């Protein structure tokens, strides 16, 4: 087969065209092929994907002009009005007659001022190359070789533009010659090609529309000539070469109705097989163990390569198969529609009529099947047939009713194999077909065949059966409802979303992730080619789960990877209980995943917790503010301890104040982001100063060889420097995922929350160790003092003294060491722990006020000194 059909054959049989063997494998691989009597060249796949190829070449039914021999009578006039052309591109396909080496004129355009206004000429040189020359305003480019005179069809394009007189000649998709200055010399700047002239194919005009000479005439065949009033890009020339018409700025399009042919010029309507965009494909040379390139249109041997796991799964399905569906189909059709052996089938192209008949029988068998569940081998056989049908080459002029009916049968078969009872069959061939998303890709390919159905009177097509449908206008859409597609994808969705960290908080416990909407496939078409663009869409939620809330994530899936979910380039615009609107910067396959959470608290409980938090934060903020003012106003003696206390109080008060107003900032995205960043900073600073409190306490218990001045510098770096570094690094690494969706705090659905939780857990661990050490020292000291002062005291008194010695440091140090936050770890266990956590931490400021202001001897002595001074 040629490269295109070989590649298609392997893909239809769940394999790939052979990849290039590794250097160490080439010799042994070559011997293996020779042992199977394979010689010469074998097609190869491109490992790095450089070969940009269409999945099929177009069969193009066009009129071909046949110029037999060189005469002065044969010509074809183009019946189009030509405007002035400051830039021009002319492209066509031709076969060159190699019997003569005289100059031949492919086309000539004449105006009254210049008979040689725009012209393309060529001849065959002694080395067997066809040389082209371009003429503009009578100025002549040099004759340059463009392709071999091999009697094959070749594609050519010539371009010219007024600016700088730049010109180029392309042949078979490659630029063969280019330069500037063609008609750019002389006293004035180059003029545009004049309009309202006469365009003749096959002859050189020595007068306007006539005076032809046989020796300058064209001999050969020409078709598909188009002219544009601009210079086409290299990519557009590639499209034109593959018979895709670029409509923009088209002056003349190839059509029999626009041509006036002299009677001796033969016009033949034929099926023209357009070349693919790449001229040569890679081959492996058996025997020499080397690599080379050959024309992609050659018929060469090829080898289909299976992955081992896929191959053994195919073999297993083949051996265990009852082949009931295949037998019923072939019996009903009275011929072999689907082969009994999945590894082999006839090497033939399926036309529209055969495809329609095969799908009609398949839909009948599936619809009236005795067993509703498909065997794995039957599922593979159906998919193989769908692949062949999606690759069918629709010819121009075929009956549109057949094409639309084919779409109806295709959608019906797709819907039937996606029924939920077939989920086990899909799972059993997971190594061969990576999930039902393969059907999405096949439907995308099928939609492309519906283009001929679009007319000026019919601007859109919709084909639907059950939960599957096709919609085609300039944008093509495919949608899939609920069946094995959703069930299979939901499993992959859970594992994929868990990587993004679906977290449970105190109110909602993560249960699972499910596909909550239809799966749609969307693409924008231009000249029947897909182009990428941004898209905004709204999908209705179709999953109902009692006592649950949905976290909506906009994702796309890739059929190549069998349904791999990715959030790249997609974001949620609006999310409502029944639908979600999303924006993506590309077209692909879309769905919305719903993260289902079990509701563990009622609305009343949530409201109570919010009210307690607000009241507690308010009391705490007032108490901290008063404590801070007292430390500044009453003249408490300066010391390490009071300085650390003041910094902790300031950071905690700022955090409490921001927490109270954070609900108001929810409606403004920028304000909410700012509040979140400062909340993160001040809460982080509060915990850092709690760590400093622990380090200061440790320095009083354990001897530390560091001066007080150096210690304070270290404390300031730890208390304020560390939070700034943590917050800055988090913003830099996760700017777009920093804030939660429904409130102004860190995003718990991603790893951002660990930028707060991680340091806090470390600080609480350190301070717990410090507290334990302080309690041990205090209890030991109290025991020694008790024995010295009251050696004969009772056992009860000694136990009481030790209990107080243990309880006092715990009660005094708990608020400044932040150990009440340990209760946060237990919040998810019960609503009671949520109440305890909120009460303890909301009243942390009041506790600090009572312990470090009201009952602090230093503060009380300072106040007493102020009173005494006032009396004096």
């Amino acid at each position: 087969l040629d490269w295109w059909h070989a590649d298609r054959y392997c893909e239809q049989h769940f394999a790939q065209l052979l990849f290039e063997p590794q250097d160490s494998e080439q010799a042994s691989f070559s011997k293996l092929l020779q042992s199977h009597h394979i010689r010469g060249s074998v097609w190869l796949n491109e490992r790095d994907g450089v070969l940009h190829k269409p999945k099929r070449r177009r069969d193009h039914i066009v009129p071909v002009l046949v110029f037999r021999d060189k005469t002065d009578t044969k010509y074809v006039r183009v019946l189009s009005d030509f405007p002035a052309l400051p830039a021009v591109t002319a492209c066509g396909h031709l076969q060159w007659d190699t019997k003569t080496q005289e100059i031949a004129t492919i086309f000539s355009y004449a105006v009254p001022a210049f008979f040689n206004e725009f012209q393309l000429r060529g001849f065959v040189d002694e080395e067997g190359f066809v040389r082209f020359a371009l003429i503009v305003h009578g100025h002549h480019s040099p004759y340059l070789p463009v392709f071999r005179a091999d009697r094959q069809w070749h594609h050519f394009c010539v371009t010219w533009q007024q600016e700088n007189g730049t010109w180029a000649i392309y042949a078979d998709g490659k630029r063969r010659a280019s330069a500037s200055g063609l008609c750019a010399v002389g006293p004035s700047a180059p003029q545009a090609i004049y309009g309202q002239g006469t365009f003749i194919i096959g002859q050189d005009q020595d007068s306007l529309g006539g005076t032809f000479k046989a020796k300058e005439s064209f001999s050969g065949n020409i078709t598909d000539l188009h002219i544009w009033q601009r210079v086409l890009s290299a990519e557009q020339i590639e499209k034109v070469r593959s018979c895709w018409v670029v409509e923009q700025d088209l002056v003349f399009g190839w059509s029999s109705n626009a041509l006036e042919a002299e009677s001796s010029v033969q016009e033949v309507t034929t099926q023209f097989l357009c070349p693919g965009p790449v001229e040569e494909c890679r081959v492996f040379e058996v025997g020499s163990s080397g690599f080379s390139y050959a024309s992609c249109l050659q018929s060469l041997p090829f080898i289909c390569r299976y992955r081992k796991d896929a191959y053994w799964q195919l073999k297993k399905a083949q051996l265990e198969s009852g082949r009931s569906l295949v037998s019923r189909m072939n019996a009903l059709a009275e011929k072999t529609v689907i082969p009994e052996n999945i590894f082999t089938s006839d090497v033939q192209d399926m036309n529209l009529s055969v495809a329609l008949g095969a799908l009609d029988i398949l839909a009948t068998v599936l619809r009236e099947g005795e067993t509703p569940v498909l065997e794995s081998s039957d599922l593979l056989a159906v998919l193989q047939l769908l692949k062949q049908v999606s690759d069918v080459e629709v010819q121009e002029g075929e009956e549109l009713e057949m094409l639309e009916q084919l779409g109806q049968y295709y959608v019906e078969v797709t819907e039937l194999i996606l029924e939920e009872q077939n989920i086990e069959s899909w799972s059993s061939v997971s190594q061969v077909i990576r999930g039902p998303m393969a059907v999405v890709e096949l439907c995308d390919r099928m939609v492309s065949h519906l283009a001929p159905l679009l007319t000026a009177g019919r601007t859109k097509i919709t084909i639907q059966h059950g939960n599957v449908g096709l919609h085609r206008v300039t944008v093509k859409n495919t949608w899939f409802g609920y069946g094995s597609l959703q069930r299979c994808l939901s499993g992959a969705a859970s594992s994929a979303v868990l990587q993004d960290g679906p977290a449970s908080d105190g109110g909602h416990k993560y249960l699972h992730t499910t596909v909550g909407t239809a799966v749609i496939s969307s693409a924008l078409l231009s000249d029947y080619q897909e182009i990428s663009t941004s898209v905004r869409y709204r999908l209705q939620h179709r999953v109902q789960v009692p006592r649950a809330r949905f976290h909506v994530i906009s994702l796309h899936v890739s059929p190549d990877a069998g349904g791999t979910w990715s959030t790249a380039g997609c974001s949620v615009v609006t999310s409502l209980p029944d639908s979600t609107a999303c924006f993506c910067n590309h077209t692909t396959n879309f769905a919305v995943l719903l993260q289902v959470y079990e509701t563990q608290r009622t609305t009343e409980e949530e409201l109570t917790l919010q009210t307690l938090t607000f009241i507690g934060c308010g009391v705490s903020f007032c108490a901290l503010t008063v404590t801070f003012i007292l430390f500044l106003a009453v003249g408490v003696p300066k010391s390490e301890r009071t300085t650390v206390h003041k910094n902790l109080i300031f950071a905690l008060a700022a955090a409490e104040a921001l927490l109270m107003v954070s609900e108001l900032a929810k409606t403004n995205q920028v304000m909410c982001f700012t509040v979140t960043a400062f909340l993160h900073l001040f809460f982080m600073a509060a915990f850092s100063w709690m760590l400093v409190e622990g380090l200061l306490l440790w320095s009083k218990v354990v001897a530390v060889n560091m001066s007080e001045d150096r210690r304070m510098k270290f404390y300031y770096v730890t208390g304020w420097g560390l939070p700034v570094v943590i917050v800055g690094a988090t913003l830099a690494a996760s700017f777009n995922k920093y804030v939660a969706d429904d409130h102004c705090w860190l995003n718990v659905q991603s790893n951002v929350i660990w930028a707060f939780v991680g340091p806090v857990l470390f600080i609480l661990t350190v301070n717990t160790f410090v507290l334990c050490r302080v309690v041990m020292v205090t209890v030991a000291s109290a025991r020694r003092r008790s024995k010295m002062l009251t050696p004969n005291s009772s056992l009860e008194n000694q136990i009481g003294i030790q209990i107080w010695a243990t309880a006092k440091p715990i009660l005094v140090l708990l608020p400044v060491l932040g150990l009440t936050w340990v209760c946060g770890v237990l919040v998810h266990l019960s609503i009671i722990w949520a109440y305890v956590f909120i009460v303890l931490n909301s009243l942390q400021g009041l506790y600090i006020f009572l312990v470090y202001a009201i009952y602090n001897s230093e503060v009380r002595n300072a106040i007493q000194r102020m009173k005494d001074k006032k009396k004096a």
Side-chain angles (χ1 to χ4, degrees):
L1 297 179
D2 63 42
W3 192 96
W4 315 99
H5 285 87
D7 182 59
R8 192 188 311 175
Y9 178 91
C10 291
E11 195 267 338
Q12 288 171 0
H13 288 76
F14 311 106
Q16 288 180 304
L17 201 59
L18 180 70
F19 280 104
E20 177 182 316
Q22 301 292 344
D23 293 342
S24 59
E25 301 171 345
Q26 291 177 15
S28 58
F29 183 67
S30 181
K31 290 179 181 178
L32 176 65
L33 294 182
Q34 290 180 63
S35 69
H36 286 78
H37 309 292
I38 297 175
R39 301 285 188 273
S41 302
V42 177
W43 286 129
L44 286 177
N45 212 333
E46 292 286 347
R47 189 178 293 277
D48 55 3
V50 172
L51 187 63
H52 298 290
K53 56 187 181 301
K55 287 294 182 184
R56 63 189 69 82
R57 297 182 324 248
R58 297 187 65 204
D59 284 339
H60 201 38
I61 298 178
V62 289
V64 176
L65 299 179
V66 180
F67 294 86
R68 295 185 185 277
D69 304 321
K70 294 171 73 70
T71 70
D72 61 358
T73 58
K74 294 179 181 178
Y75 72 93
V76 175
R77 186 191 305 273
V78 174
L79 303 177
S80 291
D81 292 329
F82 285 84
L85 301 172
V88 64
T89 299
C91 297
H93 291 89
L94 59 77
Q95 280 181 310
W96 199 273
D97 185 359
T98 59
K99 290 184 294 185
T100 175
Q101 293 186 334
E102 292 181 326
I103 290 176
T105 305
I106 295 101
F107 63 76
S108 64
Y109 176 73
V111 296
F114 275 113
F115 296 148
N116 293 331
E117 178 69 355
F118 178 46
Q119 189 176 127
L120 180 64
R121 314 179 79 178
F123 72 92
V124 179
D125 66 13
E126 295 177 353
E127 297 178 356
F129 281 94
V130 175
R131 291 175 173 264
F132 274 0
L134 185 63
I135 300 173
V136 178
H137 294 325
H139 293 270
H140 209 293
S141 78
Y143 282 96
L144 296 168
V146 289
F147 55 81
R148 282 197 172 276
D150 53 9
R151 307 180 74 89
Q152 299 295 319
W153 280 103
H154 292 276
H155 182 258
F156 71 89
C157 281
V158 293
T159 68
W160 177 86
Q161 58 183 344
Q162 178 181 346
E163 184 180 356
N164 298 326
T166 304
W167 61 275
I169 299 176
Y170 293 80
D172 297 323
K174 296 180 180 179
R175 187 165 62 182
R176 305 296 185 180
S178 63
S180 59
L182 183 59
C183 193
V185 295
S188 60
Q191 299 293 317
I193 294 173
Y194 293 111
Q196 306 307 314
T198 302
F199 196 101
I200 297 293
I201 301 172
Q203 293 285 359
D204 176 20
Q205 304 175 61
D206 285 340
S207 65
L208 192 63
T211 316
F212 307 136
K213 297 177 182 177
K215 66 178 182 178
E216 294 180 342
S217 65
F218 173 71
S219 177
N221 305 324
I222 189 167
T223 187
D224 224 21
L225 180 66
H226 294 77
I227 302 168
W228 294 265
Q229 55 181 344
R230 67 187 180 95
V231 174
L232 296 186
S233 67
E235 291 78 11
Q236 289 171 323
I237 288 174
E238 275 290 291
K239 282 187 176 183
V240 172
R241 177 174 172 253
S242 301
C243 305
W244 299 102
V245 179
V246 177
E247 300 287 350
Q248 186 179 0
D249 295 323
L250 183 66
V251 174
F252 167 68
W254 189 250
S255 170
S256 296
N257 298 328
L259 299 174
E260 181 184 86
E262 189 267 337
S263 58
S264 61
V265 177
Q266 187 179 2
E267 182 179 319
V268 179
T269 300
T270 185
Q271 182 174 312
F272 182 74
L273 188 60
C274 299
V278 177
E279 185 177 19
E280 295 180 324
C281 299
R282 197 163 174 82
V283 294
F284 177 71
E285 300 293 348
V286 181
S288 63
S289 301
F291 303 100
S292 62
Y293 285 87
S295 170
C296 298
L297 301 179
Q298 286 190 56
S299 291
L300 293 177
F302 65 95
I303 298 172
C304 295
R305 171 184 175 273
Y306 289 88
R307 296 191 325 275
K308 283 186 179 180
D309 50 359
Y311 178 80
W312 291 117
Q313 204 166 69
L314 279 168
K315 292 287 285 185
K316 181 180 178 183
Q318 185 79 25
L319 292 172
E320 296 177 354
S321 168
R323 310 298 288 173
S324 56
L325 180 138
V326 173
S327 301
R328 290 204 308 275
M329 271 198 68
N330 293 338
L332 190 61
E334 298 181 348
K335 63 179 181 179
T336 302
V337 178
I338 299 179
E340 293 290 334
N341 190 336
I342 202 167
F343 289 100
T344 60
S345 68
D346 294 335
V347 181
Q348 61 179 4
D349 284 333
M350 181 176 284
N351 59 39
L352 184 59
S353 177
V354 173
L356 185 61
L359 283 191
D360 184 9
I361 295 170
L362 178 57
T364 302
V365 171
L366 288 173
R367 199 185 309 120
E368 301 171 357
E370 299 172 2
T371 54
V373 180
L374 287 174
E375 293 181 1
S376 57
S377 60
D378 291 337
L379 179 61
L380 290 171
V382 172
L383 288 171
Q384 189 174 35
L385 182 60
L386 290 178
K387 284 171 178 280
Q388 292 175 326
V389 173
S390 65
D391 285 331
V392 70
E393 295 182 348
V394 179
Q395 311 299 335
E396 293 182 13
E398 293 198 269
E399 294 184 19
L400 299 184
E401 292 79 6
M402 290 176 62
L403 187 58
E404 187 160 0
Q405 187 63 51
L406 182 70
Q408 293 281 3
Y409 286 144
Y410 201 96
V411 170
E412 182 178 358
V413 170
T414 300
E415 199 267 340
L416 289 170
I417 65 173
L418 288 177
E419 291 291 344
E420 192 165 347
Q421 64 264 22
N422 293 322
I423 186 170
E424 293 300 327
S425 299
W426 282 103
S427 300
S428 67
V429 293
S430 59
Q431 299 302 322
V432 181
I433 295 291
R434 300 297 178 90
M437 282 306 298
V439 178
V440 177
E441 184 187 19
L442 291 177
C443 286
D444 267 355
R445 282 154 61 174
M446 182 62 206
V447 171
S448 300
H449 293 316
L450 303 181
L453 296 175
L454 293 173
T455 62
R458 187 181 187 186
T459 57
K460 67 178 182 179
I461 307 146
T462 301
I463 298 173
Q464 184 169 2
H465 189 279
N467 286 325
V468 180
L470 308 174
H471 178 78
R472 173 71 186 265
V473 61
T474 304
V475 176
K476 66 175 183 181
N477 292 316
T478 314
W479 68 93
F480 297 82
Y482 297 86
S484 58
L485 185 61
Q486 275 65 31
R487 287 281 299 277
C488 286
L489 290 177
S490 293
S494 297
S495 59
V497 175
L498 281 171
Q499 294 174 2
D500 288 336
S504 300
D505 57 23
H508 300 87
K509 178 184 177 183
Y510 175 74
L511 295 178
H512 63 275
T513 301
T514 185
V515 180
T517 65
V519 176
I520 64 170
S521 174
S522 182
L524 182 65
L525 302 175
S526 174
D527 295 330
Y528 304 108
Q529 298 267 25
E530 289 189 12
I531 58 175
S532 186
T533 184
S534 58
V535 60
R536 182 168 177 164
Y537 58 94
R538 178 178 292 278
L539 291 173
Q540 297 294 321
H541 298 169
R542 304 291 291 275
V543 176
Q544 300 297 326
V545 180
R547 292 185 61 79
R549 75 172 182 179
F550 301 108
H551 283 236
V552 186
I553 308 170
S554 173
L555 302 151
H556 74 264
V557 287
S558 165
D560 298 330
T564 299
W565 299 84
S566 169
T567 56
C570 293
S571 60
V572 175
V573 179
T574 57
S575 180
L576 302 174
D578 62 340
S579 65
T580 298
C582 303
F583 172 84
C584 287
N585 62 11
H586 57 281
T587 52
T588 182
N589 309 301
F590 301 103
V592 173
L593 293 189
L594 303 179
Q595 287 184 10
V596 184
Y597 287 75
E598 179 187 359
T599 304
Q600 294 180 312
R601 300 177 194 149
T602 63
T603 306
E604 292 77 14
E605 288 172 339
E606 288 283 356
L607 183 61
T608 303
L609 291 173
Q610 288 179 6
T611 305
L612 282 175
T613 301
F614 188 81
I615 294 172
C617 285
V619 173
S620 183
F621 174 74
C622 294
L624 289 168
T625 304
V626 172
T627 306
F628 190 75
I629 293 171
L630 280 174
F631 271 98
L632 294 176
V634 301
V636 176
K638 289 184 178 181
S639 66
E640 281 183 316
R641 195 154 56 93
T642 55
T643 302
V644 172
H645 287 344
K646 283 189 286 188
N647 280 279
L648 170 60
I649 290 167
F650 175 78
L652 202 53
E656 301 274 11
L658 284 170
L659 189 60
M660 287 190 293
V661 301
S662 62
E663 283 296 309
L664 303 176
K666 251 190 340 186
T667 55
N668 187 305
Q669 189 175 0
V670 176
M671 186 65 70
C672 186
F673 189 94
T674 305
V675 167
T676 300
F678 277 104
L679 267 175
H680 188 192
L681 176 65
F682 282 114
F683 268 120
M684 205 65 254
F687 275 97
S688 296
W689 282 107
M690 291 177 197
L691 176 63
V692 171
E693 291 274 9
L695 295 176
L696 178 64
L697 197 58
W698 183 263
S699 70
K700 304 299 182 182
V701 176
V702 181
V704 178
N705 296 322
M706 186 184 293
S707 65
E708 184 175 329
D709 183 54
R710 289 178 63 191
R711 276 205 306 268
M712 283 311 303
K713 288 180 181 178
F714 173 73
Y715 292 160
Y716 274 112
V717 169
T718 304
W720 293 110
L722 187 62
V724 169
V725 170
I726 291 173
V727 173
T730 307
L731 287 171
S734 306
F735 189 83
N736 294 324
K737 297 181 180 179
Y738 188 70
V739 183
D741 293 331
D742 51 356
H743 54 279
C744 299
W745 181 234
L746 300 179
N747 189 354
V748 297
Q749 302 299 324
S750 65
N751 292 326
V752 172
I753 190 63
W754 287 101
F756 177 72
V757 174
V760 166
L761 290 176
F762 172 76
I763 290 169
L764 293 179
T765 303
V766 172
N767 282 355
T768 301
F769 178 75
V770 170
L771 182 63
C772 291
R773 179 66 174 154
V774 168
V775 168
M776 289 170 62
V777 172
T778 305
V779 169
S781 177
R783 188 184 299 115
R784 288 195 301 269
R785 189 182 304 110
S786 174
K787 288 181 179 180
M788 289 175 61
L789 298 178
T790 55
N792 298 322
S793 61
S794 64
L795 181 62
E796 290 79 2
N797 286 338
Q798 290 183 12
I799 292 173
I801 291 171
Q802 290 185 21
I803 291 174
W804 176 243
T806 302
K808 183 178 179 181
I810 292 176
L811 293 173
V812 172
L813 296 176
L814 269 180
V816 293
L817 294 183
L819 297 182
T820 52
W821 284 74
V822 175
C823 296
V825 179
L826 308 174
V827 162
H828 70 283
L829 298 177
S830 169
I831 187 68
I832 297 173
W833 283 110
Y835 286 122
V836 171
F837 176 70
I838 287 175
V839 170
L840 288 178
N841 290 285
S842 296
L843 300 180
Q844 185 179 15
L846 181 61
Y847 200 47
I848 289 175
F849 171 70
L850 293 173
V851 174
Y852 292 96
I854 300 300
Y855 295 108
N856 187 336
S857 58
E858 290 182 341
V859 175
R860 294 170 68 179
N861 291 337
I863 293 173
Q864 187 60 45
R865 285 195 297 273
M866 286 180 65
K867 288 180 179 179
D868 293 343
K869 192 180 292 184
K870 191 174 182 181
K871 286 181 181 179

